[in-house]
Amino acid sequence: MAKKNKAPKPGTIAYTADRHEYYEKAVQCVESEVDMVDETYEALRGKKARFLREDFCGTGNTSCEWVKRRKNNTAIGLDLDQEVLNWGIKNKISALNPEQQDRIDLINQDVMNAEVDPADVILAMNFSYQLFKTRDALRAYFAQAREGLKDDGIFFIDAYGGHESWRQIREKTKFDDFDYFWHQKRYNPITAEMLCHIHFRFKDKSWLHKAFTYDWRMWTLPELQELLVEAGFSKVQVYWEGTDEETGEGNGDYYPTDLGDDDPSWIVYIVCEK
Ligand SMILES: C[S@@+](CC[C@H](N)C(=O)[O-])C[C@H]1O[C@@H](n2cnc3c(N)ncnc32)[C@H](O)[C@@H]1O
């Protein structure tokens, strides 16, 4: 592990590596995320969703996938970081065809002050809402998201947990041309605050250390469900991941249930109907 927070040296892979590109490869799977959102909305509403608002959109990758799905899909992504939005505009939106580009917008806006038309679907993915560290702040955000929906709109968030999630650990995942490290650096059980980093290591042993940092609170599923109800959602349902019978691992299919397993590490969706 690269202990010192050294900047990568010229000539190494890390020196020119683009952190957003590796984040996308290591962390995101927007195709399956959009499948889940699309299918769940249709199952609950008996029609297809059209207008998606992506809160904490980062590079807008999910919004791009949304507008590619159907000719009448539209998307707006909100993020506060202009550098990240610019990367998305340059690398993701520019790769769409002109007609798709007309149906997407990434804007620099605080999710707490969103000025966007009512949406069929609002997403807050990759646990971004965990940056709100108090019940009041998180409830206020959930209420804002609810306000931003059409009357039959649906808000989707993901959540993670399991006993491995409350520990200070560094977990390595190997990819063809790099290693991805999820680093739970510090956890305070008294406040449930957690400091996490993402690092990348390349074939030449160079590191992109602290490529991303998250300073957030580890919310539990009961807390999240209670706050979502307090924020006014009429129905709040956890979708748990099914199990592949051969491998015993998650199979990528999520189903509504009130009964989970004592899995050391799980990811769920919470589906919130306005
Ligand atoms: C964990 S990233 C999420 C990226 C993306 N949603 C994904 O699924 O991978 C969190 C993003 O939230 C943005 N952000 C933080 N606070 C925000 C706020 N109040 N309003 C809008 N965006 C915010 C950050 O700039 C950052 O790009």
Side-chain angles (χ1 to χ4, degrees), residues 53 55-56 111-112 114 118-119 121-124 138-150 153-157 228 231 233 272 274:
R53 178 178 127 191
D55 281 1
F56 314 100
V111 296
M112 293 305 296
V121 164
I122 299 181
L123 308 183
L138 187 57
R139 189 191 307 103
Y141 166 60
F142 287 159
Q144 283 282 358
R146 185 179 170 279
E147 276 301 299
L149 288 166
K150 291 183 188 162
I154 303 183
F155 179 49
F156 291 75
I157 67 173
L228 286 157
F233 287 98
C272 318
K274 184 170 182 175

Side-chain angles (χ1 to χ4, degrees), residues 36-143:
M36 192 280 170
V37 167
D38 215 15
E39 288 163 16
T40 305
Y41 182 94
E42 189 172 11
L44 292 172
R45 292 289 175 260
K47 61 180 180 181
K48 297 274 190 202
R50 292 178 61 169
F51 175 34
L52 175 135
R53 178 178 127 191
E54 185 187 4
D55 281 1
F56 314 100
C57 70
T59 60
N61 202 9
T62 306
S63 294
C64 288
E65 178 63 21
W66 183 255
V67 298
K68 283 197 253 174
R69 285 292 167 107
R70 279 188 297 280
K71 288 240 172 266
N72 56 4
N73 276 4
T74 55
I76 287 190
L78 274 58
D79 202 286
L80 279 179
D81 186 341
Q82 193 61 45
E83 183 262 332
V84 182
L85 291 171
N86 287 345
W87 192 95
I89 291 163
K90 181 163 169 237
N91 295 280
K92 306 301 299 182
I93 298 205
S94 67
L96 300 173
N97 70 37
E99 183 275 325
Q100 290 165 343
Q101 289 179 11
D102 282 346
R103 293 185 279 110
I104 185 170
D105 210 0
L106 301 187
I107 55 177
N108 188 331
Q109 235 175 63
D110 188 331
V111 296
M112 293 305 296
N113 302 308
E115 287 177 16
V116 176
D117 286 343
D120 294 314
V121 164
I122 299 181
L123 308 183
M125 294 299 188
N126 265 320
F127 329 113
S128 309
Y129 58 84
Q130 296 206 121
L131 61 88
F132 297 113
K133 291 186 179 175
T134 64
R135 291 178 63 90
D136 284 349
L138 187 57
R139 189 191 307 103
Y141 166 60
F142 287 159

